[in-house]
Amino acid sequence: MKVMKFGGTSVGSPERMKGVASLVTKSGEPTFIVLSAMSGTTNSLIEISDYLYRKNPEGANEVINNLEQKYFGHIDELYSTDEYKQKTRLFVTEIFDYLRSFTKGLFTSFEEKNIVAQGEVLSTNMVVNYLQEQGVKATLLSALDFMRTDKNAEPDLPYIKEKLSAIMKVHEGYQIYITQGFICRNAYGEVDNLQRGGSDYTASLIGAAINAEEIQIWTDIDGMHNNDPRVVDKTEAVRQLNFEEASELAYFGAKILHPTCVQPAKYSGIPVRLKNTMEPDAEGTIINNTLVRSKIKAVAAKDNITAIKIKSSRMLGASGFLRKVFEIFESYQTSIDMITTSEVGLSMTIENCSHLSEIVDELKKYGTVSVDSDMCIVCVVGDLDWSNVGFETLATDAMKDIPVRMISYGGSNYNISFLIKEADKKRALQSLSNVLFN
């Protein structure tokens, strides 16, 4: 069985929903479908929550009413029979009445998660009703019945596998199984969400739980490109990536995928394929455990980076210095992206600057601190094992006209990273494309 995940733009209109229905029924084989909320819906639900946090029920109700009317319009476009129009209209009315119930009482983060979850609940019900109207044997499985996180907010894999296996046995014989992406319950049974990777993460977890043949992530781009097509001319889709290469690219800026979402698939040995809803016959990108030797695959860039440098003679031959520095970042729950060291200096980059001033104040106890903002990490990914003589030289040659603040190489066999000014990003990416791919 294949698992197919469709994002918000793929189910962003009645026409797109019909397209998804056509895609998932094409093979005639049993398929497990994971759906995001219709594009724009989650933003509206967050806006509703924002009004309720600010104790403005009138503002919340206005957004609720506008969104409800939008969905009623979608219903008229999507269904051809009065039976399914009426059935779906009643369901949508129930959901929006439920949303209105939050305007009458105490509002906390618990209520917000319940509100935000309704986007996926709406899209999955609409699609399963459309499939049933078309005569397809389809069923809806609520993600809240089997998708759970543990007390560390990490997916509870044994629980997910056990519950989903039992549910699938009860629902044997269907062609299409549909569930919600993103949403889950936490260890205490409350409605929650997977946060990182959202629906992609759901698809990967389900694929691992049912030992799927393949996990397909359908978006609005034909796979992962060898550079950022929004910035660079003449980019191409990469046809194959190792799981490690895909994670590096996702972490360092490739928005098509979240770095954590492929981990369950990787450990289960299940290939992940990135496909384009607008061009369903395009090959896309396959991600698996195969490593193509001696090849540079792609380039990605991560914006909004801040570099912090601490210089201290106390570092010289001192044990425990690095531990003290890292404990400061840990205490403020701020992760480090890149790090380079010398005898008396330490440079690090961070993306989350919410506690920058406190971190700098703490670091000043140990040395002189300087900060560079508006920076960008450019990452070159492929088989960059140190035994591949000259590969790092190709990347550095492409950057010869770009001022480089830091270089990170050797921490992974799959990437070499450069820290540059954001203003130089376009020039750097284009130069790397020209040297490495064109």
Side-chain angles (χ1 to χ4, degrees):
M1 184 183 287
K2 289 180 180 176
V3 176
M4 301 172 73
K5 174 264 174 180
F6 294 89
T9 54
S10 297
V11 291
S13 68
E15 184 182 358
R16 295 269 175 88
M17 285 184 170
K18 290 177 182 179
V20 165
S22 176
L23 277 173
V24 302
T25 55
K26 196 173 181 179
S27 68
E29 298 174 356
T31 309
F32 205 118
I33 312 302
V34 178
L35 299 181
S36 298
M38 291 181 78
S39 55
T41 297
T42 300
N43 287 341
S44 293
L45 295 172
I46 290 171
E47 186 181 4
I48 291 164
S49 300
D50 191 45
Y51 275 120
L52 294 176
Y53 272 126
R54 298 171 190 278
K55 296 181 171 53
N56 183 353
E58 293 82 9
N61 274 318
E62 186 174 337
V63 179
I64 292 169
N65 293 339
N66 290 338
L67 191 60
E68 184 178 38
Q69 290 307 309
K70 186 178 177 181
Y71 270 87
F72 285 155
H74 292 329
I75 290 168
D76 289 335
E77 287 183 55
L78 186 58
Y79 305 101
S80 55
T81 64
D82 288 338
E83 177 191 352
Y84 276 91
K85 283 183 181 181
Q86 182 63 14
K87 178 181 178 180
T88 310
R89 187 179 279 268
L90 284 171
F91 173 78
V92 169
T93 300
E94 285 178 13
I95 293 292
F96 282 93
D97 284 345
Y98 176 64
L99 292 177
R100 290 185 185 94
S101 72
F102 290 101
T103 65
K104 300 180 177 73
L106 181 69
F107 194 78
T108 68
S109 60
F110 172 75
E111 283 77 23
E112 180 184 18
K113 285 175 180 175
N114 276 275
I115 284 179
V116 172
Q118 301 314 306
E120 281 75 16
V121 173
L122 284 162
S123 64
T124 49
N125 274 273
M126 289 177 72
V127 172
V128 79
N129 284 351
Y130 176 75
L131 286 166
Q132 289 172 356
E133 186 186 48
Q134 302 306 305
V136 178
K137 195 172 183 185
T139 187
L140 178 61
L141 309 179
S142 173
L144 300 179
D145 290 339
F146 62 86
M147 193 61 63
R148 187 176 81 170
T149 55
D150 59 24
K151 290 182 180 179
N152 297 316
E154 295 294 335
D156 189 338
L157 289 168
Y159 177 92
I160 294 167
K161 187 167 187 174
E162 179 189 345
K163 287 291 182 182
L164 186 54
S165 297
I167 290 169
M168 293 291 282
K169 282 181 183 176
V170 173
H171 293 82
E172 282 183 350
Y174 285 90
Q175 182 186 344
I176 302 296
Y177 299 85
I178 294 183
T179 196
Q180 300 87 15
F182 182 57
I183 67 175
C184 64
R185 291 192 187 276
N186 60 27
Y188 309 100
E190 301 162 339
V191 174
D192 210 324
N193 57 66
L194 294 171
Q195 298 175 10
R196 302 160 301 178
S199 299
D200 293 351
Y201 209 1
T202 302
S204 190
L205 290 164
I206 289 170
I210 67 172
N211 196 26
E213 169 194 343
E214 183 176 279
I215 298 163
Q216 297 181 352
I217 308 293
W218 289 77
T219 64
D220 54 359
I221 188 169
D222 57 335
M224 196 174 283
H225 277 228
N226 61 6
N227 212 324
D228 190 338
R230 299 165 300 180
V231 178
V232 175
D233 299 327
K234 299 178 182 176
T235 67
E236 293 179 353
V238 182
R239 295 307 173 202
Q240 186 275 339
L241 287 167
N242 177 272
F243 277 115
E244 298 290 348
E245 294 171 333
S247 293
E248 295 278 6
L249 286 170
Y251 184 76
F252 284 105
K255 301 296 185 186
I256 191 173
L257 199 65
H258 193 280
T260 59
C261 78
V262 295
Q263 296 306 314
K266 172 190 170 184
Y267 297 135
S268 301
I270 300 168
V272 175
R273 191 180 296 274
L274 309 180
K275 298 278 285 179
N276 185 357
T277 317
M278 315 308 166
E279 296 180 39
D281 295 327
E283 187 180 343
T285 299
I286 187 80
I287 303 169
N288 52 32
N289 282 315
T290 303
L291 177 64
V292 178
R293 293 290 177 185
S294 303
K295 187 171 182 180
I296 293 176
K297 296 288 187 66
V299 177
K302 192 174 188 179
D303 297 328
N304 303 314
I305 299 296
T306 298
I308 302 170
K309 182 177 182 180
I310 177 169
K311 188 176 167 184
S312 174
S313 58
R314 282 191 256 174
M315 271 187 73
L316 198 59
S319 61
F321 185 87
L322 290 177
R323 176 180 56 81
K324 291 172 185 175
V325 169
F326 292 148
E327 282 177 348
I328 292 170
F329 287 89
E330 183 185 1
S331 67
Y332 290 103
Q333 297 185 315
T334 301
S335 59
I336 296 169
D337 290 318
M338 283 174 68
I339 179 167
T340 59
T341 65
S342 71
E343 289 84 353
V344 293
L346 180 64
S347 287
M348 300 150 289
T349 68
I350 61 172
E351 185 180 15
N352 176 10
C353 291
S354 57
H355 297 287
L356 178 61
S357 60
E358 296 100 313
I359 289 170
V360 170
D361 285 344
E362 295 270 1
L363 289 174
K364 283 179 178 178
K365 296 175 185 176
Y366 302 106
T368 306
V369 180
S370 60
V371 175
D372 293 313
S373 55
D374 299 321
M375 306 297 283
C376 167
I377 295 174
V378 173
C379 178
V380 177
V381 168
D383 179 21
L384 285 157
D385 188 275
W386 67 277
S387 61
N388 290 329
V389 179
F391 271 43
E392 72 284 356
T393 307
L394 281 173
T396 53
D397 277 354
M399 299 289 287
K400 65 184 180 183
D401 296 322
I402 310 293
V404 176
R405 168 72 174 75
M406 283 171 64
I407 299 176
S408 176
Y409 175 60
S412 159
N413 288 338
Y414 305 98
N415 91 55
I416 178 170
S417 298
F418 302 89
L419 180 68
I420 63 173
K421 291 179 180 177
E422 272 188 26
D424 294 322
K425 171 184 163 181
K426 182 173 183 178
R427 204 156 51 96
L429 292 182
Q430 189 66 64
S431 179
L432 285 162
S433 265
N434 293 341
V435 172
L436 301 177
F437 310 126
N438 298 332

